[in-house]
Amino acid sequence: VRGEPEQAQRSFQRLVEVLGDHAEPSRLVGARHRVAQIQASQGDLPAAHATLNECMATTEVLPFELTLDIRESLARVLYLLGNFAVAKEQVEQGLLDARGIHRKRKVLLWQILQGLVSSALGEYEAANTTLRDVAAAWRADGDLREIARAYHNLAEVALAQGDHPTARTYLNESRRRKVEANDLWGLVFTDIGLATLSHETGAFAEALATATGATADARERQDKCLIAWALQTAARAAIALDRMDEAAAALGECAALLAITCEQRRIAMALERAALLANARGEHAAAARLLGAAEGIRTAIGSPPTHGEAADREACGAAVREAIGDAAFDGEADAGRLMSQPEALAMVAQLCDDLALSA
């Protein structure tokens, strides 16, 4: 609550040790679940995933609602990691369970996850339908904070579809309500959305300023996922403004964070940003390889680029093909598809280091 997640995690881990294996299962697993939630909130997603799997192994002896809470945390982590197929299975089961015990709030939280997974898979019509239902339910309850978050989620779907007027309306409404609710953490998400909107409507300087502010706010939250997202948003705008040293610094730090969080969709986005940077520097073979690596990840997880990301990919790919020819481009892209994620992120880090040294 005081914004000291590392201390909180140490305290809950100590509690797990004190309780030991002979404690009443719900108390021990409840403490482990809190550890996992803190790990996830700080972007330590592989660690959170492992802890939640430990919790799920003992659900047969736990109270039903605790099991449902653990399943929700697991589904969220799977979504962030980009394991959308398994996340979708967890969401479908969680929705059935929540409806079975007639818990309206839990049903709505599961529906939010359902909408987010649908959007990540490019199923925008389904995502919009689900998330609009959620927003209507929160409005009926008068929950200001949840209304604001619902509008933000709808804005993200609109951005993914390239519907900038709708995205702007939802983002402005979301931000206004988050300010009223003093939802400082939620404001970071909305500001990243506003930066993306500014970029995709040609206001690159505004996009960079907003993303830079969001990065500073994300650092205060100590959330690696959020920091990485803000950094790659800033890098995209910096490249458009030909401020390559700033773009390299942001992308280099972003790559280091993504090596920890292992968010596959964000890694694909970062590789595409790095391809833009490589192309701008005249490193066309590297750009083609990075585009191939990003495409390989997207194909594996079933998550297409958004409208704006697709436009960036197409423009970059066309420029690189013109520079080195189709055969060379295809060869490098094929090599990129065979790269592991650590190798691809290391390539981004090296590209950014080289630019920093040349500067």
Side-chain angles (χ1 to χ4, degrees):
V1 172
R2 292 202 307 262
E4 301 173 7
E6 293 181 0
Q7 177 60 40
Q9 185 172 328
R10 285 194 295 270
S11 297
F12 277 110
Q13 285 173 331
R14 177 59 180 153
L15 177 58
V16 170
E17 295 169 6
V18 170
L19 288 170
D21 294 333
H22 303 294
E24 195 274 320
S26 64
R27 295 186 65 195
L28 179 59
V29 175
R32 281 185 178 144
H33 181 212
R34 292 306 302 271
V35 170
Q37 288 177 312
I38 296 167
Q39 289 169 329
S41 75
Q42 301 310 294
D44 298 325
L45 300 179
H49 188 215
T51 304
L52 288 165
N53 281 334
E54 286 181 29
C55 294
M56 288 296 291
T58 56
T59 53
E60 68 276 2
V61 296
L62 299 178
F64 184 79
E65 291 204 30
L66 177 56
T67 299
L68 189 58
D69 288 343
I70 294 169
R71 187 185 298 279
E72 182 191 342
S73 295
L74 179 60
R76 288 184 183 279
V77 168
L78 289 167
Y79 162 75
L80 290 170
L81 285 169
N83 194 340
F84 300 122
V86 180
K88 191 172 184 177
E89 292 173 3
Q90 293 287 345
V91 168
E92 288 170 352
Q93 184 60 56
L95 263 173
L96 285 173
D97 292 343
R99 284 171 175 149
I101 59 173
H102 306 292
R103 294 289 192 272
K104 179 181 177 181
R105 186 177 182 86
K106 288 187 182 297
V107 170
L108 290 172
L109 293 174
W110 279 108
Q111 284 182 303
I112 292 169
L113 268 176
Q114 184 181 45
L116 294 176
V117 171
S118 295
S119 181
L121 293 171
E123 301 166 357
Y124 300 127
E125 185 176 346
N128 270 320
T129 298
T130 300
L131 293 172
R132 283 171 184 156
D133 288 346
V134 170
W138 290 131
R139 283 197 301 268
D141 283 355
D143 190 323
L144 194 63
R145 184 169 297 212
E146 293 297 348
I147 293 168
R149 292 180 178 181
Y151 285 159
H152 173 82
N153 291 332
L154 285 165
E156 289 293 330
V157 179
L159 278 172
Q161 294 177 287
D163 184 354
H164 297 137
T166 299
R168 187 181 304 280
T169 297
Y170 279 132
L171 285 168
N172 287 337
E173 284 298 309
S174 175
R175 199 178 201 289
R176 180 172 67 81
R177 285 169 169 80
K178 285 177 180 178
V179 169
E180 289 179 26
N182 196 34
D183 184 3
L184 301 181
W185 184 50
L187 278 170
V188 184
F189 289 88
T190 300
D191 285 346
I192 293 173
L194 286 167
T196 300
L197 176 63
S198 295
H199 183 101
E200 294 184 2
T201 52
F204 302 130
E206 181 180 342
L208 180 57
T210 305
T212 301
T215 302
D217 292 338
R219 291 188 197 284
E220 290 188 15
R221 299 296 307 181
Q222 302 176 45
D223 182 337
K224 299 178 187 68
C225 297
L226 201 54
I227 297 168
W229 187 12
L231 282 168
Q232 61 183 212
T233 304
R236 184 187 187 195
I239 292 168
L241 291 166
D242 198 28
R243 293 161 66 166
M244 298 304 170
D245 53 343
E246 293 180 47
L251 273 178
E253 184 181 356
C254 176
L257 290 169
L258 290 172
I260 298 170
T261 68
C262 300
E263 298 172 277
Q264 294 184 82
R265 188 159 58 124
R266 300 287 179 215
I267 290 172
M269 292 166 62
L271 297 179
E272 289 160 352
R273 305 285 195 268
L276 293 172
L277 181 63
N279 178 57
R281 294 190 64 205
E283 298 185 23
H284 304 300
R289 186 167 295 208
L290 288 164
L291 288 174
E295 185 180 1
I297 294 172
R298 289 192 180 280
T299 300
I301 64 177
S303 183
T306 66
H307 179 272
E309 292 161 0
D312 285 349
R313 276 189 63 90
E314 289 169 11
C316 184
V320 175
R321 284 184 182 277
E322 184 177 352
I324 63 176
D326 289 342
F329 179 95
D330 292 339
E332 289 292 343
D334 287 343
R337 292 183 191 96
L338 297 176
M339 293 175 74
S340 69
Q341 289 181 27
E343 288 172 334
L345 288 172
M347 185 175 177
V348 174
Q350 187 62 57
L351 174 71
C352 295
D353 286 346
D354 290 347
L355 195 151
L357 287 173
S358 65

